[in-house]
Amino acid sequence: MNAPPASAPVDPVRLDKLAQVAVHVGLQLQKGQDLVMTAPIAALPLARLITKHAYMAGAGLVSTFYADEEATLARYRHAPDESFDRATDWLYEGMAKAYANGAARLAIAGDNPMLLSGEDPAKVARANKANSKAYKPALEKIANFDINWNIVSYPNPSWAKQVFPNDAEDVAVEKLANAIFAASRVDCDDPVGAWQAHNAGLHRRSAWLNGQRFAALHFKGPGTDLTVGLADGHEWHGGASVAKNGVTCNPNIPTEEVFTTPHALRVEGHVASTKPLSHLGTLIDDIRVRFEGGRIVEAHASRGEAVLNKVLDTDEGARRLGEVALVPHSSPISASGLLFYNTLFDENAACHIALGQCYSKCFLDGASLTPEQIKAQGGNSSLIHIDWMIGSGQIDIDGVAADGGRVPVMRAGEWA
Ligand code: ZN
Ligand code: ZN
């Protein structure tokens, strides 16, 4: 077996800073805490640096699971048909057990967003459904914020070629590395200090929105006239927050959003996507959907419509919203002008909504609510959580109070 390709175009100094940000800002890994990490095999240099910094921070045991794109493709090309209804439930059960025992979770993103674009969409959907089902016990611990968790990205060559198709591979990797470093705020002498300042700004925005207690948000722009009712007792979050295990962490690196829980039954109108959605190797573009009573009753896309409709048929909650998030059009990621084909970046370039599962932490006293109470307050549940972008420099957003009064929240994509 060959070693993964050498990654000379990735600056080792800033890569080391990214590893430090992942461990000390993203996770705030605690002394003695175990860490479960997943990574594409191309991200080996970053996974090793994170492992080093994790142990230097006092980690108990770091366990990393690598994914290999060639191995994934081999399954789609050669595995028997029954394989696509199966998943590694034993592995996910083990992960859920590790989290229940206090382990933190870190994912290195950077997979080729188009890996499965040439494969049978029915197999992709079946494999994904089986995977989502098997992963649920582990995902719930993450979605419910039981533990500190973090996602950072590595400039995988296959991803870099997608973002910079006209460049040679090493140039594309270097450009993507630079974009990741800038967005992850490791371009400065004191990345940890830069993150503290950024977190303070996001906390100010969410505090203002929490003070307003809007009943709904109204989005208006090209192809969009959408009222998103907010869940009863919703709470806005952004930046670092405290997991149920008491650790303050920054789950997403980068992050520019403030977000909360919509009411699963109170979304009305139509909305158009403003960036393509890269989902399981398929690009879904120009999404146009119509909501009635919180449910998507009509869905179109100029590309990937079949995949979109399969996603919506995952379960009842897949047609309803679990998140609404506000991001100014001038965010550094948006200002880069790049389409990353990666939700972690693209969702932080624009206001977005997510189909599917809500975050229980986006409720007042969310940690003490039962699933039944969350549902009664309008929280959605589903096997999926898929963010897609609806913001742009042409979107206006009003906050709508319970008495119908309106307050400008964003004008032409910027905070009003
Ligand atoms: Zn979001
Ligand atoms: Zn989301």
Side-chain angles (χ1 to χ4, degrees), residues 257 323 347 352 354 359 385 387:
E257 61 172 347
E323 179 192 343
E347 80 159 350
H352 55 271
Y359 288 106
H385 177 99
D387 299 275

Side-chain angles (χ1 to χ4, degrees), residues 197-233:
H198 181 49
N199 277 324
L202 292 170
H203 288 157
R204 273 196 305 277
R205 295 287 183 210
S206 33
W208 179 77
L209 287 159
N210 284 328
Q212 297 291 322
R213 299 244 48 89
F214 292 128
L217 295 178
H218 179 228
F219 292 76
K220 191 127 179 59
T224 292
D225 187 346
L226 183 74
T227 300
V228 178
L230 300 179
D232 300 330

Side-chain angles (χ1 to χ4, degrees), residues 91 151 237 301 415:
L91 177 63
I151 309 180
H237 283 267
W415 291 105

